[in-house]
Amino acid sequence: MAYQMNFAPVMALAPQLAEGALNTLILSGQAIVAGLAIGVVGAVGRTEGPRWLGRAVGVYVELFRNTPLLVQLFLIFFGLPYIGVRLSANAAAIIAIALNLGAYSTEILRAGLQAIPRTQIEAGLALGMSRLQVVRYVVIVPALRIIYPALTGQLTLTLLGSSIASAISATELTAAGARIESTTFRSLETFLCIAVIYIAMTFTFRFIYWLIGLWLFRRKAPPKPSLIADVTEVSRAGA
Amino acid sequence: MIKSFGWDSVEFLIRGAGWTLLLSLMTFVIGGFFALVFALLRTLGPKPVRVVIAGFIQLVQATPLLIIVFLTFYGLSFVGLHFPPMMAAGLSLAVYTTAFLADIWRGCIEAIPRQQWEAADALALTRAQQLRYVILPQAFKISLGPTVGFMVQIVKNTSVVALIGFVELTRAGQLLNNMTFQPFHVFLTVAAIYFAICYPLSFLSERLKGIRNVRPAH
């Protein structure tokens, strides 16, 4: 007998789905702000800082890029209380996701900074631009333009990766879905709804990133970097 | 039974790591096969096929892996197909991997300059020969670094299937944690094993990115 789809019991709990989606946005939003802050500090530390700092950042990046987010989450949530640091599920999730994103964004931002030749900065200063203007127009905006696809792709992966936080029952969409599934017993319908919500959120954010990009890079584009660089960035991204 | 973390625990975790490696390999082989087909169809296929594949890739890339795993594991058993966890795990990881690798490899094929196609065409090679002897060997070299880099993601992604109860490295860690109540030791060891698998791959990936020059294929 064929399985009859029935979305009614799941739809009856639509407010829970909406709340879960909102919590996912809040959770990943907090993690993204913290993660990007770590990324900026890490990238500047690695390119401009003293040698030992660059080494330390490098070790951090490799450690977090070569272990799964789920294990990092378990280590922070279950492991840290063992050495006396007790965190709520949400706090542990935010810290784990932020540290993970921090490692990836350090590498992405560093690639951007290193793509700006020193001579460009000197040329800017020679034209009588102030230091602040040079940083803004010669370093940040052109660097951001180069890494924009990789960076926004990583942010999307972070939003989707936050579903992992359901493993420690943080309040977000996948955990809300698991709760709905256990009350309705409509597994397939529940997770299809959840998938549709994640897809809608992802496409909405891609659109927002695209709009921000239009505004940010409204000046004429320099020659496009090679496609090979794009491909390289795609493979580096990950959760 | 409460026992403390010792060498036998490490052995237990290493056996779990064996399953992680097996699952990763399976995922890479199956996902890689479909990714190659999809990448070729996406770049060279007829327009409707291209649109369908692009849509598939976009949808999968916009869904969390965990949800794909749940859909496969819980969902399909309701439709009437019953999957053992190993199959559900392998299938969902393969779907996810297909979507990402197909995109990476498409980029590699499209990175080959148009003139290479034209030159091959001028030499009276058939479309298949152009691919076989001119385009793919060059695209292959470009793809080495990104592909090995994505293998790291595959190994890390297999950890997610721990949440449907498939006993690989992460699940082995959870089980061991329930037995020993020493989460710090357990998950630090688990992390160290993942690092030992992934770091060499990351290192290799960075090295392979240097390979761009094209030598004649013999």
Side-chain angles (χ1 to χ4, degrees):
Chain A
M1 195 185 76
Y3 178 70
Q4 289 290 316
M5 288 268 206
N6 182 4
F7 283 93
V10 179
M11 281 303 139
L13 297 176
Q16 286 190 32
L17 285 175
E19 200 194 332
L22 188 65
N23 284 330
T24 281
L25 291 180
I26 294 170
L27 185 86
S28 44
Q30 286 169 310
I32 282 174
V33 170
L36 287 181
I38 296 172
V40 170
V41 174
V44 174
R46 206 168 178 185
T47 44
E48 310 291 328
R51 205 182 166 83
W52 62 266
L53 185 62
R55 286 270 173 79
V57 173
V59 170
Y60 156 68
V61 167
E62 293 305 337
L63 284 180
F64 277 82
R65 289 205 313 172
N66 288 300
T67 50
L69 176 59
L70 184 58
V71 175
Q72 293 161 12
L73 193 62
F74 282 162
L75 197 54
I76 288 171
F77 186 60
F78 297 120
L80 285 190
Y82 188 81
I83 54 169
V85 185
R86 194 168 290 277
L87 295 162
S88 72
N90 277 14
I94 292 169
I95 292 173
I97 297 170
L99 285 173
N100 195 279
L101 174 63
Y104 281 98
S105 56
T106 293
E107 277 303 277
I108 295 173
L109 295 173
R110 184 179 71 120
L113 286 180
Q114 286 177 340
I116 306 299
R118 205 145 275 280
T119 47
Q120 294 263 328
I121 298 169
E122 287 161 6
L125 291 172
L127 285 172
M129 294 169 90
S130 71
R131 275 211 92 80
L132 211 63
Q133 284 175 318
V134 168
V135 168
R136 180 171 166 195
Y137 296 110
V138 181
V139 181
I140 294 182
V141 172
L144 212 52
R145 190 200 295 266
I146 295 168
I147 60 168
Y148 200 65
L151 191 62
T152 55
Q154 191 61 46
L155 295 186
T156 302
L157 284 172
T158 301
L159 175 74
L160 298 176
S162 72
S163 67
I164 300 276
S166 65
I168 57 167
S169 318
T171 48
E172 48 74 67
L173 183 54
T174 306
R179 221 169 36 245
I180 292 172
E181 191 233 351
S182 64
T183 50
T184 61
F185 298 106
R186 292 279 165 188
S187 317
L188 184 59
E189 291 89 336
T190 307
F191 288 115
L192 277 175
C193 287
I194 302 283
V196 168
I197 297 174
Y198 273 114
I199 290 168
M201 286 201 292
T202 304
F203 285 167
T204 309
F205 272 95
R206 285 214 189 121
F207 182 65
I208 294 172
Y209 296 144
W210 178 74
L211 286 181
I212 295 175
L214 280 189
W215 173 77
L216 213 51
F217 312 124
R218 55 198 180 279
R219 281 157 208 277
K220 193 168 154 285
K224 211 178 169 341
S226 78
L227 199 62
I228 295 173
D230 291 351
V231 172
T232 310
E233 284 313 317
V234 169
S235 75
R236 278 209 192 119
Chain B
M1 180 186 69
I2 294 184
K3 53 179 212 144
S4 70
F5 190 84
W7 271 116
D8 53 334
S9 314
V10 176
E11 258 182 59
F12 180 69
L13 289 178
I14 287 176
R15 238 171 293 141
W19 284 102
T20 289
L21 284 177
L22 187 67
L23 191 60
S24 305
L25 193 69
M26 209 174 96
T27 304
F28 181 70
V29 171
I30 300 174
F33 171 77
F34 284 105
L36 185 61
V37 174
F38 280 25
L40 288 174
L41 287 175
R42 174 82 177 79
T43 38
L44 309 169
K47 182 107 191 189
V49 177
R50 265 190 270 175
V51 171
V52 169
I53 289 178
F56 165 80
I57 291 175
Q58 286 293 320
L59 285 184
V60 173
Q61 288 193 352
T63 313
L65 173 59
L66 183 55
I67 299 298
I68 297 176
V69 172
F70 281 164
L71 278 178
T72 318
F73 184 68
Y74 295 119
L76 289 184
S77 60
F78 270 102
V79 187
L81 304 157
H82 189 74
F83 289 91
M86 176 81 180
M87 284 304 295
L91 185 69
S92 42
L93 284 167
V95 168
Y96 191 79
T97 300
T98 299
F100 279 87
L101 267 187
D103 223 15
I104 293 172
W105 289 348
R106 173 184 67 102
C108 295
I109 294 172
E110 286 177 355
I112 306 303
R114 168 143 240 105
Q115 290 86 330
Q116 293 284 330
W117 286 100
E118 290 166 358
D121 205 18
L123 290 172
L125 298 180
T126 66
R127 195 78 168 158
Q129 286 173 327
Q130 293 172 18
L131 259 184
R132 165 74 184 78
Y133 295 108
V134 180
I135 304 303
L136 289 187
Q138 300 182 67
F140 177 73
K141 288 220 169 96
I142 300 174
S143 76
L144 276 177
T147 304
V148 176
F150 192 73
M151 283 180 185
V152 177
Q153 302 301 333
I154 295 178
V155 173
K156 294 196 303 172
N157 283 336
T158 59
S159 68
V160 166
V161 303
L163 300 178
I164 57 166
F166 180 77
V167 186
E168 39 63 76
L169 180 51
T170 304
R171 184 74 190 146
Q174 284 182 299
L175 295 175
L176 195 62
N177 180 33
N178 293 342
M179 288 188 279
T180 61
F181 296 106
Q182 287 176 294
F184 195 70
H185 296 70
V186 171
F187 290 118
L188 209 55
T189 312
V190 169
I193 298 175
Y194 274 113
F195 187 81
I197 298 171
C198 293
Y199 185 70
L201 286 173
S202 295
F203 185 78
L204 184 65
S205 161
E206 287 299 320
R207 279 296 170 85
L208 288 171
K209 272 166 196 162
I211 301 180
R212 295 268 170 77
N213 65 321
V214 180
R215 276 167 296 163
H218 295 294

